[in-house]
Amino acid sequence: MMCMSRVILHIDMNSFYASVEAAFDPSLKGLPLAIAGNPEERKGIVVTCSYEARAFGVKTTMPVWEAKKLCPNLIVKKPRFDRYRKASKAMFAILCSYTPIVEPVSIDEGYMDVTDVARHPLDLAKEIQQRLLDELELPSSIGIAPNKFLAKTASDMKKPLGITVLRKRDIKEKLWPLDVEEMHGVGAKTAEKLKKIGIRTIGDLARGNDVQLEKIIGINGLRLKEKANGIDHRPVDPSSVYDFKSVGNQMTLPEDATNEEELKNALKSLAKSVSLRLKKKEAVATKVAVMLRYKDRTTVTKSMKLENPTDDERTIFQHALIVFQKLWKNEPVRLLGITGQDVMHKKNAFKQLDLFTFEEEAKNEPLHQAIEKLSEKYGEGIIKKGLSMHKEIDSFGSSFGKDFFFK
C-alpha cells in the first residue's frame, strides 16, 4: 500500500566528474574530455569521460593511450576531487530545498520522496533538472516512479538530460523484454546463475519459481523477483547511512592459548568472518579494532585507523595482526575478537588511491565497469578518505552562482 501511494525521484548526474570540470572551465564544454588517474603516463586509466568522448568509443577503464588512439583530440584532465565534493554538496542542497526526505546513495546520485510536495512530479523534476543546469551548470537525468527500484531504473533510460516516468503498469512492456543483467541489482555473476536455470530476461525473472530462485541465489532471489514485478517497499531514508557503526566477531578459544601461530590462525578466521559480514552489508570499515581477554578475564582493546576504507579480508587481517602484536603480552589468551569500526556504506565512503592502488583496483574489477563501480562503491570512488558525504550536506541559500567552485 505504501509503495503504490508514493512518488519517488531518482536524480543521477550525467558524467559527473567531466561535467564539473566543464562547469569550472567553460572552454571544455562540447569537447571530448576524459578524467584519468595519471594522464601523463601511458598506463593511466580513464575514470570517466564526457558524452562527446563516448561518441568516439572512449570508455571507463580504458588506458589513456587507447582512448587517445580512438579520439586524437581527447582532452585529458587529472581528477580534482575537492571540486567534485563541493559540487556534490551543492547538488544535494538543491534537492534538500524541496524536501528533507533525500537519501544520498553516492557522490552524484540520490533519491527524493516528493509524495507530500504540492507539485506535479513531472513539473517538479523539470524544475530540479533546470536548476541544476542553471545554478551549477551540471546535467542530470531523473527517474519518476512509485518506488526506489523503478525510479533508479527510469533515470537510466534516457541520458543525458532525460526525465522518464516509469509506472508499475509499464514494466511488462518496458522492462520485461530486457536482458536480466540490465536490471539494477543483478551483477554478472548473478546473471550467469540465473541463465543456468533459463532466466534470460527480466520477464523470466518476474515469473521465476520461488524455490528455485532461493536455492541458487538465496533470499536475494526473492527480492529480485519482487523488483522485477515492480515491487519495492524500501523507504527513502536520509538516515540509512547511520544504520550500523561497527561489524565484528569474536571467538572463545578451546583452551587458553599462548602459541603465536595458533593465535594468528584465529585472527585469520575472524578477519574472514568480518570481511564476509561487511560485504554482505555492502559496507566498509575505516578502523580495525582487536580485543583480547586473558586467562584472568582482564580485557584489553586497541584500534588502528586504516589508510583507506576496506572490506578486504587480507587487509583486515594484516592490520589486526599489527594491533594484536602491540597488545599481546605473551600471556594466555582466552578470547579474541576483531571489529571493523566507523563502518559506512560503500557508496558513501571516500577513498584515496595512489596511482598503483588505482591501477590495481581497476584490474580487480570487471573490466567493463571497473572505475565507475569504484565510484559507486566508495562514494567519491577514487577520491579521498573521509566521512559520509551525507553528513557534510550543509544548508545553502537558494542561489549558488557560477563562482561557487572558487569559494
Side-chain angles (χ1 to χ4, degrees), residues 271-281 311 313:
K272 181 176 182 179
S273 172
V274 171
S275 172
L276 289 172
R277 291 181 62 194
L278 284 168
K279 288 172 180 175
K280 189 174 181 180
K281 290 176 178 285
D311 61 3
E313 175 185 340

Side-chain angles (χ1 to χ4, degrees), residues 74-87:
L74 183 69
I75 300 167
V76 183
K77 296 278 189 181
K78 285 184 178 180
R80 301 287 188 91
F81 302 119
D82 56 335
R83 288 180 186 173
Y84 310 151
R85 288 186 66 194
K86 190 174 287 188

Side-chain angles (χ1 to χ4, degrees), residues 327-373:
L327 270 181
W328 190 42
K329 301 184 185 303
N330 294 312
E331 298 176 7
V333 175
R334 175 164 295 182
L335 182 143
L336 195 57
I338 295 178
T339 301
Q341 295 181 334
D342 291 349
V343 169
M344 62 185 77
H345 197 283
K346 286 182 179 180
K347 291 183 179 180
N348 294 311
F350 299 147
K351 185 174 183 184
Q352 181 171 5
L353 300 176
D354 55 27
L355 175 63
F356 174 77
T357 311
F358 182 93
E359 301 289 343
E360 289 304 306
E361 290 279 5
K363 290 175 187 174
N364 291 336
E365 292 286 335
L367 190 59
H368 65 285
Q369 60 183 5
I371 308 305
E372 286 191 344
K373 285 296 180 185

